[in-house]
Amino acid sequence: MVPTPVEAAPIAGQLVPMAASGGQQQGVGRISLAVLIDYIVQRTYHELTVLSELLPRKTDMERKIEIVQFVSRTRQLFIRLLALVKWANSAAKVYKCSDIMMFLDQQALLFTDTADMLAQISREKLVNARLPNFSLPLAVDVLTTGTFPRLPACIRDRIVPPDPISESEKRSTLRQLGNIIQYRLVTSSLPIQMRNLQIENGRVTFHVNHEFEVSLTLMGDNATVPWRLLDIDILVQNKETGEGKALVHPLQVQYIHQLLQSRLIENRHPLHDLYNCLHSFCQSLQLEVLNFQLDKLVKERLGMCLRVMEYLPGRCLTIGYWRKDVKNYTTSDYTLSVQVDPTDSNKPLLVVHKPPINGSKSTEQAIKSEHLSIEKLLIHTIHERAKCKLQEIEASLEKQTAGNCVISGTPAVLFIPVMSPCITSEQLHISIDFLTGRVLCSMPFCDPALQVVKEVEVLLNGDKGDMEKLFSELRFQLMMNRIDRTVQHLFVECKTKLPIPDIDASPLAKLSKYKMYINLTRYSQFYVVVELNQSETDSKVIAPTYYVMTVKSISFDDAATDLPTPNLKVTSLVQFDTFAITHGPFTRAAEPSHDETPNLHKRQFSGGSDFPAKKLRTESWYYIPELAHSVAMCEQKIPFWMLSEELNRRNILHQGIEVECFGTGLVLKLLALPSSLLERGTKSLQKKLLSCAFRENDGKPARPWVVEFIFARAPLATLSSREQSARQHVYFQYDFIENKRIGDIVESFLDSWKQMANLYDSVLDFADYFDDSRDGLQNIVRLHSFNYKRLLLIYGADFSNQVSIEWSVPEKQFKLLFSMSTHGSPIANCHCITDTQLQHEFNQHRSIPQLLQVLHETYLPLMAVAKLPTNPLLAGSSNLARAVQSFLILPQSSTHLKIAFRGIYCLDVYCCSAGLVAVRDGAYSLFDKSKAMEGFTPTPGLKTFFNMYVDDSSVRHRSMTEDDNPPSPMESVDSFLAQQQPSVGSPAQRADGLRFHHPMTPPSNPLTPASPHTSVLHQQSYSASPGSGFPLSSPPAVTPSPSLQMRTPSPGTLLTSSPSAAFHVPSPGQGYAAPISHIHSPAFMQPTTDTSASPGRKSRSQQHPGAESGSPYPSNLPMQSPGPRWPASPSMPGPSPASRLIPMSPGHPMLQSPGDPGRNGMVGPGSRVLPQRSWAAAVPTLLSHQAFNVLLTPTVMQDYPAMLSCSPLERFLGCVFLRRQIQRFVQSEETLVALPTTEPGVVLMRVESMTCRVALQPSTQQILQLSLTPLPDFHEQWSAEELQVLETVFERKVVCPPYKPNAVHAFCRLLAVPVRVLKDCVQLLHLELRPDRSHKWALQWCWTIPPSAPHIAPAGTAAFIATKNKILFFVSDSLARRFLYCNSNAA
């Protein structure tokens, strides 16, 4: 057979029309390969869909056969398709030839057929062809009437249907038919099950619930006309596995329809026969559904538990459960049979049990036709079977129960009370396993793995053994669980065994074997032992007995040799008196209630008549109140007992353990502290103490110790509302970690007492000063709070700063904490700068008045110092890789600061009394003013700048020769020997005598302050200077200086008549006996050496023997000649000058500074020009606080509003710093030529076309000015306006904050370029200074490379580079907001 040609693949999917039919072989149709593949895929999908619908109803073997047949058939089909595709791909030429031949054959056929047809027409048809006669009547009828009435009548009768009957005729006919059907039903026999009928629309419908529904009608009114079966609907459904689909196939329904229709003809009782047939079919179908469900249940889940014993289709289905051939299962088989009623087949399916079940009628009703479910039937059957078995177990265990047993729940559970009393969770739960019939035992209250419960379960599933012994064991286990649950909320640990070696020889051997050990975790050596015994009156009741046991850890040597690792040894075992514990004062006791069951109790008060009896809720019986109260009592009293033992060991008297009022807790009150603690300051505090008590804080889990001190009113009246009462309570809390030594708690308590004593000692001395209005402390400080642990003081201009003073026990020193009194303040306390120095000095002198005076005198200077910027700057130096701080503040003492500017210049700032501040150049050596200290550079012109801020309040004396005569050590000795008079307002001038010690601070040379290298104080190494070991007196061989006799002080004699000096360091030969004398305080605030007496009760002669002669030192001090031992001598080899620094406090006299007051309190530069000396700035300059604040406050200069806001000091130092950088650039750049000059502070250089002069502005000393003078050869090339542009740019854009040295470097390079290029750059700078408003852009010259510029060099580098051929510089276009770098040809 020639294969059917298939169209080639290149036109895939195109349909080719079928060939002409004519019986020839070429006429076979063709089809597209894509369509063929689509047909094959659709056919396969259709067959697969049919399989998915039919396979669930077939058995497993049938499903496998169908799947194999489908796979084989589909595989053969696709193999053929594959062969066809391969052949089609290789038959392209055959396709073309076949198409050509077919086309030619079709053309030839067409020509032949045409010739034959023409010949036939001409020879046969055209010979006899005639025209018919015209039908004139027909044409007339159509043209006139528009119809054709002459058709034959047979056509109308056979083709045209008759008219339908009307709706009324239909209703009448159906009504008559309904009456006929009703009459037939009345006159014939009707089954009882088919009484549910409905006659409607000429038919009767019989409905039998959950079985079938059938519709009948009659074809006439004759009595012999048989019933006509119209419709049958089977109502049996499988809702669990049938997925709602019909169980009977339509072909089966059609067969039943034909069968029943045949049986309705010539039948005496047709309706009975109809019901019997359909009812029998529906019952068989129900059994089939149950059998199918059971097969699925056995195969999927319960194959080991269920078995189909017998299945007779249409008759019976028998199921076996709880099989006996499995190990440990019950010994008999149980079956369930669903069958047709043998006595009456018209009844529903019957359920039969073997062996019978009491009340099986309920199980028989479990099979319901509306929801056929074999699983529900099994569950209901097993549930009833389990209840019967539990009833048998209940009867067998009746003697062991302690109450009525109950069977309830689904699945059924038998609840057996084991002991009396017994709650539900303590009952033994017995149930039956639904799958195996095995008895299961459990007890929710106990551990699921409890061995006793398992043994009871084994006995119930086998032969009955000693059940009474097991139930007794179970009661003890329940009681142990009650004990565990009772103390689970306490910090204890329950144990059933302890590692006690040789327990038979211990007191525990006398107890029963059922006992529990409750360990107090905080005190591991204490245990509460609970012994359990059966009650003598009732064996079902367990009675506990309580003991307290103490143990100790023993080593291996203390134990028996045959024991490997002994741990504990019982030292004591004492039995509790439960009644005494639970019926003590403020204790609730458990007493039986008369209106309830005797086994239940109420909680009533028995501590006294103050507590009325109240009806409380009944407690759960798993909670044992006596045990909980006993454990809690031990846990509460043991720490107090340990504390009392420790206090007795330390000889601290106490009142013993007491119960507080209303029973709120225990308390231990002290009677007195040991005499060893009554040191300095504690006697007065002991007099203030009213009470001291120890308590435990039960509100926290850790239960820390709380010690309460009650003091009388404090010696100081504070602002705190909590401290206004007559008594003041102070609380300390000590954490008590588990098993911690109680001695540590007592040590912490004694440290707290010392903490309060140390603080109270200082406060007591401070109270005398504060209460005296003549001292004026009430005007500078307010007492915010004093709680014996901390003193909180507020001070400052608006009392916005505060200082906290408290004693640190670990560090054994006072701690000072500075902060702001107002929360959320944007500024910090200014004394945080010197907090370390203030704290160390306070620990040396411990004088609160002296501390307050220091804080008061240094407040305004430090507030000004705090305004200095300390942020690091990346462009602050030529080295861009290192950030440099603008200002670095180095506190040397509480009144001495070193301020470093960019690590080059340094200032010494001394806070003086009377509102003055002394400032000097800290770069100069302390002894040789011609030498600078290592690491710093002297600041030129600093003296002249400071003199501009000297006002009237800081000028007291004037020396015309102070700048010409450098200070010498001899003049400081002269000032040391000078007899000074007390200053105005000093406490020494009071008429009522001297209240306090005369100051021990001798006058000293103010020109010998500390060295900046090692003067930064350390917290632990702030000690006396090396020079303090010299004698206190001055050399006797030195005669007073003439300047002193003429009352004209020299530059080295800057002291006035005051007992203390501004820059106090020991003078040559000076020495002190104690380190505290190095901290100099005001004369009226020097603490006394005898704290037992009042500071104001000694006369001046008693305090200082030499006071009446005018000398501030004792007259019996030895005088020593100034020899090589003078530490202040410049040629004296020894330690660094920093070690000779002795910090001072306010109260020293005002220092003298050269200069006369000018207008508005300021000295102008023209009032007195100081001679330029390299050491002039080493002499301190006195400034008032107002002038010092102006010097350090950031402002904007009036003539330069575009500059950043900064302080005058920063502007001056910045200008000096840039002037120094210009000198370096002149030396490094080849195009810049330095010129000699005799003017101090002036940089003179020459470029190609002009001379440049750089100097500070004389009027303010805060602006660096540039003066340009053209050379004679270039005088005509430069105009005054162009020179002014360069000078203005230098002042406003280059040497301005933040004072970048690279910007100055770039400007210097700009000046050195050729004249023609420089003039072009001047035009650009002119556009920047005076922009043309008609332009839409603005130009800005960049002196340093900005961060957003192209990465040519690091940001901050000088943005002007000139080479032989090219010049690179940066400008910024403000409109486009971009940076442009320009290459300019130098030629």
Side-chain angles (χ1 to χ4, degrees):
M1 178 180 178
V2 181
T4 303
V6 181
E7 191 171 352
I11 324 176
Q14 179 181 359
L15 294 178
V16 178
M18 303 296 292
S21 61
Q24 300 178 1
Q25 190 171 357
Q26 288 82 2
V28 179
R30 293 187 298 173
I31 187 172
S32 172
L33 180 61
V35 175
L36 179 62
I37 295 174
D38 190 23
Y39 286 167
I40 293 175
V41 171
Q42 290 182 5
R43 175 185 172 184
T44 306
Y45 177 74
H46 174 70
E47 292 180 356
L48 188 60
T49 305
V50 173
L51 280 178
S52 65
E53 295 179 354
L54 297 180
L55 288 182
R57 303 181 182 180
K58 298 182 180 182
T59 63
D60 183 61
M61 184 56 65
E62 292 175 350
R63 288 198 296 266
K64 292 179 180 178
I65 293 173
E66 291 292 338
I67 292 173
V68 171
Q69 291 176 355
F70 167 75
V71 171
S72 177
R73 185 169 59 252
T74 306
R75 181 173 179 272
Q76 292 296 331
L77 179 61
F78 276 94
I79 288 175
R80 294 174 184 175
L81 178 61
L82 179 61
L84 180 61
V85 171
K86 289 183 178 180
W87 179 85
N89 289 335
S90 62
K93 296 180 180 180
V94 176
Y95 295 155
K96 294 180 182 180
C97 295
S98 176
D99 292 341
I100 294 172
M101 293 175 62
M102 186 178 295
F103 177 74
L104 295 176
D105 291 342
Q106 289 177 357
Q107 296 298 323
L109 181 62
L110 289 176
F111 288 134
T112 304
D113 289 343
T114 303
D116 293 344
M117 290 298 295
L118 291 176
Q120 183 181 4
I121 291 173
S122 63
R123 295 173 183 176
E124 297 178 1
K125 296 183 179 180
L126 293 180
V127 174
N128 299 324
R130 299 289 186 274
L131 289 174
N133 296 325
F134 295 104
S135 181
L136 296 178
L138 178 61
V140 172
D141 289 340
V142 172
L143 293 175
T144 57
T145 62
T147 61
F148 183 65
R150 300 178 184 272
L151 284 176
C154 64
I155 297 177
R156 182 181 68 244
D157 296 339
R158 294 183 180 182
I159 298 177
V160 179
D163 295 334
I165 63 175
S166 62
E167 292 294 332
S168 59
E169 291 176 346
K170 288 183 181 180
R171 288 194 296 269
S172 176
T173 303
L174 293 177
R175 191 182 301 110
Q176 292 178 7
L177 184 58
N179 294 334
I180 294 171
I181 294 174
Q182 187 175 6
Y183 173 76
R184 175 68 68 86
L185 292 176
V186 171
T187 57
S188 61
S189 177
L190 186 66
I192 299 176
Q193 291 81 1
M194 296 180 64
R195 296 297 175 85
N196 185 11
L197 56 89
Q198 182 179 4
I199 301 174
E200 186 179 4
N201 295 329
R203 64 168 61 186
V204 58
T205 302
F206 297 97
H207 183 83
V208 180
N209 291 333
H210 313 300
E211 290 190 8
F212 62 88
E213 184 178 270
V214 62
S215 298
L216 302 174
T217 187
L218 293 174
M219 303 305 294
D221 56 354
N222 193 352
T224 59
V225 176
W227 288 96
R228 183 69 174 267
L229 184 60
L230 300 179
D231 191 13
I232 299 175
D233 188 9
I234 304 299
L235 302 180
V236 179
Q237 295 181 354
N238 185 6
K239 295 186 178 180
E240 291 191 357
T241 59
E243 299 178 359
K245 297 180 180 180
L247 300 178
V248 185
H249 198 271
L251 296 177
Q252 294 176 321
V253 176
Q254 183 179 358
Y255 173 76
I256 296 173
H257 188 281
Q258 295 174 359
L259 177 64
L260 293 178
Q261 183 64 47
S262 64
R263 298 177 70 91
L264 289 175
I265 301 174
E266 296 180 358
N267 195 334
R268 296 180 59 186
H269 301 287
L271 297 181
H272 285 273
D273 192 57
L274 174 67
Y275 173 75
N276 291 335
C277 292
L278 291 177
H279 177 67
S280 176
F281 177 76
C282 290
Q283 282 191 335
S284 300
L285 187 59
Q286 289 175 358
L287 287 175
E288 182 66 26
V289 169
L290 294 176
N291 182 53
F292 179 76
Q293 293 178 355
L294 182 61
D295 288 342
K296 187 176 181 180
L297 196 63
V298 170
K299 292 177 181 178
E300 294 181 356
R301 290 187 290 165
L302 306 178
M304 296 296 296
C305 304
L306 298 178
R307 182 175 60 181
V308 180
M309 308 296 294
E310 182 182 12
Y311 175 57
L312 299 177
R315 293 178 56 189
C316 177
L317 175 62
T318 304
I319 309 167
Y321 59 94
W322 290 3
R323 295 161 54 186
K324 68 177 180 179
D325 56 350
V326 181
K327 187 179 179 181
N328 294 333
Y329 278 27
T330 52
T331 59
S332 61
D333 277 341
Y334 298 87
T335 60
L336 166 67
S337 178
V338 181
Q339 60 187 7
V340 178
D341 194 343
T343 59
D344 188 1
S345 60
N346 294 330
K347 291 183 179 180
L349 294 176
L350 180 66
V351 180
V352 179
H353 301 278
K354 180 184 177 181
I357 300 176
N358 296 333
S360 61
K361 293 182 178 180
S362 61
T363 61
E364 292 175 0
Q365 296 176 359
I367 180 69
K368 295 181 180 180
S369 301
E370 69 270 14
H371 193 131
L372 294 174
S373 175
I374 191 66
E375 187 174 3
K376 289 186 177 180
L377 178 61
L378 286 171
I379 290 174
H380 189 79
T381 301
I382 295 175
H383 176 70
E384 295 296 331
R385 182 74 67 184
K387 290 175 64 175
C388 294
K389 194 169 183 178
L390 291 177
Q391 291 174 0
E392 299 175 0
I393 296 175
E394 179 184 359
S396 64
L397 298 178
E398 184 177 1
K399 295 182 180 180
Q400 309 300 332
T401 61
N404 298 327
C405 301
V406 179
I407 299 176
S408 63
T410 302
V413 179
L414 173 61
F415 299 93
I416 300 178
V418 179
M419 60 187 302
S420 178
C422 186
I423 60 177
T424 306
S425 60
E426 292 180 336
Q427 294 177 350
L428 180 63
H429 296 183
I430 301 178
S431 59
I432 306 298
D433 189 354
F434 265 38
L435 301 180
T436 63
R438 179 181 174 84
V439 179
L440 303 177
C441 297
S442 65
M443 186 170 290
F445 190 76
C446 298
D447 187 2
L450 190 62
Q451 186 64 28
V452 182
V453 178
K454 292 184 177 180
E455 293 178 1
V456 173
E457 180 180 328
V458 172
L459 289 182
L460 291 177
N461 285 293
D463 297 334
K464 303 297 185 294
D466 192 359
M467 190 67 69
E468 182 178 358
K469 181 180 179 181
L470 292 179
F471 269 75
S472 176
E473 179 75 17
L474 189 58
R475 293 187 188 100
F476 283 111
Q477 294 294 337
L478 283 176
M479 195 63 183
M480 290 182 179
N481 275 277
R482 286 186 179 182
I483 294 173
D484 192 17
R485 294 294 181 91
T486 300
V487 299
Q488 66 180 356
H489 64 285
L490 302 175
F491 291 95
V492 296
E493 182 181 2
C494 290
K495 300 179 181 179
T496 56
K497 295 182 180 179
L498 289 179
I500 300 178
D502 197 11
I503 193 173
D504 296 335
S506 66
L508 296 176
K510 300 179 181 179
L511 305 182
S512 66
K513 67 174 183 177
Y514 299 104
K515 50 183 174 291
M516 288 195 71
Y517 307 95
I518 303 174
N519 178 226
L520 307 179
T521 55
R522 291 189 179 90
Y523 323 102
S524 57
Q525 69 273 25
F526 290 91
Y527 287 84
V528 175
V529 183
V530 184
E531 179 189 13
L532 303 179
N533 294 293
Q534 288 186 348
S535 177
E536 298 178 356
T537 58
D538 188 358
S539 61
K540 301 180 181 63
V541 178
I542 304 299
T545 306
Y546 306 105
Y547 301 85
V548 60
M549 179 180 68
T550 57
V551 298
K552 69 175 183 178
S553 300
I554 58 176
S555 61
F556 183 80
D557 298 335
D558 297 336
T561 56
D562 56 343
L563 295 179
T565 54
N567 293 323
L568 300 177
K569 181 179 181 180
V570 180
T571 57
S572 64
L573 183 68
V574 181
Q575 182 178 354
F576 278 157
D577 186 355
T578 310
F579 182 83
I581 292 175
T582 57
H583 291 76
F586 306 106
T587 306
R588 294 181 177 183
E591 296 182 358
S593 174
H594 300 289
D595 57 347
E596 305 225 359
T597 312
N599 291 335
L600 302 179
H601 295 76
K602 289 185 176 181
R603 305 284 288 172
Q604 298 179 354
F605 287 105
S606 62
S609 59
D610 295 338
F611 298 96
K614 294 182 180 180
K615 184 176 180 180
L616 303 176
R617 67 177 180 87
T618 304
E619 299 288 347
S620 298
W621 275 107
Y622 73 82
Y623 180 79
I624 307 175
E626 294 83 1
L627 173 62
H629 188 81
S630 301
V631 173
M633 182 206 66
C634 293
E635 191 175 22
Q636 189 177 21
K637 284 192 175 182
I638 284 176
F640 282 93
W641 174 78
M642 297 170 61
L643 178 63
S644 62
E645 292 293 329
E646 182 66 21
L647 294 178
N648 293 334
R649 189 180 65 84
R650 295 175 180 264
N651 298 325
I652 301 178
L653 302 180
H654 58 85
Q655 296 180 358
I657 305 174
E658 302 176 359
V659 179
E660 290 202 80
C661 183
F662 303 109
T664 56
L666 301 179
V667 62
L668 190 146
K669 297 183 179 180
L670 302 185
L671 295 177
L673 292 174
S675 57
S676 59
L677 294 180
L678 298 179
E679 300 174 355
R680 179 177 178 265
T682 59
K683 292 183 179 180
S684 56
L685 185 61
Q686 181 79 9
K687 296 178 182 179
K688 289 282 185 178
L689 181 63
L690 302 178
S691 173
C692 178
F694 279 84
R695 295 180 179 87
E696 268 195 321
N697 189 355
D698 297 337
K700 296 184 179 181
R703 298 181 65 179
W705 284 100
V706 177
V707 179
E708 179 190 29
F709 292 93
I710 302 178
F711 293 97
R713 185 185 296 275
L716 295 174
T718 63
L719 303 177
S720 177
S721 58
R722 299 180 180 180
E723 302 172 3
Q724 304 302 323
S725 60
R727 298 190 306 172
Q728 190 166 349
H729 297 255
V730 181
Y731 296 94
F732 287 92
Q733 181 171 306
Y734 311 109
D735 293 335
F736 186 69
I737 308 175
E738 298 179 3
N739 301 320
K740 183 180 179 181
R741 290 179 57 255
I742 196 66
D744 298 340
I745 303 298
V746 178
E747 286 292 339
S748 301
F749 161 72
L750 298 178
D751 290 339
S752 301
W753 174 257
K754 295 177 181 178
Q755 172 187 354
M756 293 188 296
N758 281 282
L759 181 61
Y760 188 77
D761 184 23
S762 299
V763 169
L764 196 61
D765 295 339
F766 170 62
D768 295 337
Y769 294 94
F770 189 78
D771 294 338
D772 192 350
S773 60
R774 294 174 297 177
D775 293 335
L777 287 178
Q778 299 179 359
N779 299 328
I780 64 175
V781 68
R782 293 179 181 175
L783 304 180
H784 184 273
S785 173
F786 172 64
N787 57 3
Y788 288 88
K789 295 190 293 184
R790 184 183 64 173
L791 176 63
L792 191 61
L793 306 172
I794 55 178
Y795 64 95
D798 51 355
F799 296 98
S800 59
N801 298 264
Q802 66 181 13
V803 56
S804 172
I805 306 175
E806 59 181 333
W807 178 262
S808 175
V809 175
E811 300 179 10
K812 295 183 179 180
Q813 64 175 354
F814 282 101
K815 300 289 289 185
L816 302 184
L817 179 62
F818 295 91
S819 60
M820 303 300 293
S821 59
T822 56
H823 296 286
S825 177
I827 60 175
N829 194 317
C830 61
H831 284 99
C832 294
I833 302 175
T834 59
D835 55 355
T836 304
Q837 289 71 23
L838 287 169
Q839 177 176 312
H840 176 76
E841 294 175 6
F842 181 76
N843 281 284
Q844 295 294 325
H845 56 72
R846 297 192 179 187
S847 173
I848 298 178
Q850 183 174 344
L851 172 66
L852 293 177
Q853 188 68 19
V854 172
L855 296 179
H856 176 68
E857 293 291 347
T858 60
Y859 175 74
L860 292 178
L862 290 181
M863 282 290 290
V865 171
K867 298 177 183 179
L868 293 176
T870 58
N871 300 327
L873 298 175
L874 287 176
S877 64
S878 300
N879 186 6
L880 299 178
R882 181 174 61 92
V884 179
Q885 280 185 287
S886 296
F887 286 95
L888 179 62
I889 303 174
L890 304 173
Q892 307 298 301
S893 68
S894 60
T895 56
H896 178 200
L897 302 175
K898 279 187 175 294
I899 302 176
F901 178 77
R902 299 197 180 184
I904 298 178
Y905 304 115
C906 179
L907 300 179
D908 275 333
V909 179
Y910 301 89
C911 300
C912 310
S913 61
L916 298 179
V917 176
V919 189
R920 65 181 294 271
D921 192 343
Y924 283 104
S925 174
L926 298 176
F927 311 107
D928 190 354
K929 300 305 179 290
S930 62
K931 296 181 180 180
M933 298 180 59
E934 183 181 357
F936 292 112
T937 302
T939 307
L942 182 63
K943 187 70 174 180
T944 304
F945 176 71
F946 284 158
N947 287 337
M948 299 176 64
Y949 291 89
V950 176
D951 52 11
D952 292 339
S953 60
S954 60
V955 177
R956 292 294 181 269
H957 300 280
R958 181 174 180 179
S959 173
M960 297 301 296
T961 61
E962 59 184 356
D963 292 332
D964 301 328
N965 301 325
S968 64
M970 297 304 296
E971 292 181 353
S972 61
V973 174
D974 296 342
S975 61
F976 175 79
L977 295 176
Q979 298 293 333
Q980 305 293 339
Q981 298 298 328
S983 60
V984 180
S986 173
Q989 294 179 343
R990 296 177 182 170
D992 55 350
L994 186 64
R995 280 179 53 87
F996 313 112
H997 271 283
H998 193 77
M1000 296 296 295
T1001 305
S1004 179
N1005 186 8
L1007 298 180
T1008 57
S1011 172
H1013 296 289
T1014 60
S1015 58
V1016 179
L1017 300 177
H1018 191 270
Q1019 185 74 10
Q1020 305 296 334
S1021 60
Y1022 191 83
S1023 59
S1025 65
S1028 60
F1030 292 91
L1032 189 63
S1033 58
S1034 300
V1038 180
T1039 58
S1041 173
S1043 61
L1044 180 64
Q1045 298 175 1
M1046 298 174 62
R1047 300 298 180 186
T1048 303
S1050 67
T1053 310
L1054 300 178
L1055 300 175
T1056 58
S1057 54
S1058 176
S1060 58
F1063 313 104
H1064 253 89
V1065 296
S1067 63
Q1070 180 182 353
Y1072 295 97
I1076 193 173
S1077 60
H1078 294 282
I1079 310 298
H1080 306 291
S1081 63
F1084 65 96
M1085 293 183 180
Q1086 194 63 259
T1088 61
T1089 57
D1090 187 7
T1091 58
S1092 60
S1094 175
R1097 294 180 181 178
K1098 287 187 178 183
S1099 62
R1100 172 179 289 188
S1101 60
Q1102 291 174 339
Q1103 295 179 11
H1104 296 285
E1108 295 180 358
S1109 60
S1111 174
Y1113 309 104
S1115 58
N1116 56 354
L1117 292 177
M1119 303 298 288
Q1120 188 173 356
S1121 173
R1125 294 184 60 189
W1126 284 12
S1129 177
S1131 59
M1132 176 67 183
S1136 172
S1139 61
R1140 298 181 178 91
L1141 171 65
I1142 298 177
M1144 61 86 195
S1145 64
H1148 48 68
M1150 298 174 293
L1151 299 184
Q1152 302 168 8
S1153 174
D1156 292 333
R1159 295 181 180 180
N1160 299 326
M1162 305 295 294
V1163 179
S1167 59
R1168 187 166 78 91
V1169 179
L1170 297 174
Q1172 298 295 332
R1173 297 290 186 268
S1174 60
W1175 49 263
V1179 179
T1181 303
L1182 288 179
L1183 302 176
S1184 64
H1185 287 176
Q1186 293 77 11
F1188 189 70
N1189 183 56
V1190 171
L1191 186 65
L1192 273 63
T1193 301
T1195 57
V1196 178
M1197 296 190 68
Q1198 183 176 1
D1199 297 336
Y1200 303 90
M1203 285 189 181
L1204 296 177
S1205 176
C1206 59
S1207 62
L1209 178 62
E1210 183 179 2
R1211 284 194 287 265
F1212 169 74
L1213 295 178
C1215 292
V1216 174
F1217 169 72
L1218 292 183
R1219 186 177 63 187
R1220 182 172 181 266
Q1221 296 296 325
I1222 292 175
Q1223 293 176 348
R1224 296 177 56 189
F1225 296 151
V1226 170
Q1227 296 175 1
S1228 61
E1229 292 290 340
E1230 297 179 356
T1231 56
L1232 302 178
V1233 179
L1235 298 179
T1237 179
T1238 58
E1239 298 181 74
V1242 176
V1243 178
L1244 196 62
M1245 62 182 176
R1246 178 176 57 82
V1247 294
E1248 180 183 359
S1249 60
M1250 62 185 70
T1251 303
C1252 308
R1253 181 182 182 274
V1254 180
L1256 287 173
Q1257 186 183 29
S1259 59
T1260 62
Q1261 296 289 318
Q1262 300 176 27
I1263 296 296
L1264 200 61
Q1265 292 182 337
L1266 173 66
S1267 299
L1268 300 176
T1269 304
L1271 295 177
D1273 297 340
F1274 298 90
H1275 185 75
E1276 296 180 356
Q1277 297 185 17
W1278 290 101
S1279 64
E1281 183 180 1
E1282 291 175 337
L1283 298 178
Q1284 185 180 4
V1285 168
L1286 289 174
E1287 294 173 356
T1288 305
V1289 168
F1290 180 79
E1291 293 181 11
R1292 298 180 181 271
K1293 302 295 182 179
V1294 179
V1295 290
C1296 61
Y1299 301 106
K1300 302 178 182 179
N1302 287 334
V1304 179
H1305 195 183
F1307 187 83
C1308 294
R1309 290 176 177 177
L1310 174 65
L1311 295 178
V1313 300
V1315 178
R1316 183 173 58 85
V1317 178
L1318 181 58
K1319 291 177 71 66
D1320 293 339
C1321 294
V1322 169
Q1323 296 301 322
L1324 295 177
L1325 295 174
H1326 185 270
L1327 287 177
E1328 179 182 3
L1329 294 178
R1330 299 178 180 86
D1332 191 350
R1333 296 187 177 182
S1334 62
H1335 295 165
K1336 295 182 179 180
W1337 50 269
L1339 187 68
Q1340 182 181 359
W1341 190 288
C1342 297
W1343 298 104
T1344 58
I1345 296 180
S1348 57
H1351 188 68
I1352 299 176
T1357 308
F1360 192 94
I1361 301 175
T1363 62
K1364 294 182 179 180
N1365 299 324
K1366 291 186 178 182
I1367 298 174
L1368 176 66
F1369 60 94
F1370 280 79
V1371 293
S1372 172
D1373 182 3
S1374 62
L1375 178 62
R1377 295 186 178 181
R1378 63 180 183 270
F1379 292 96
L1380 307 175
Y1381 62 96
C1382 306
N1383 286 319
S1384 176
N1385 195 336

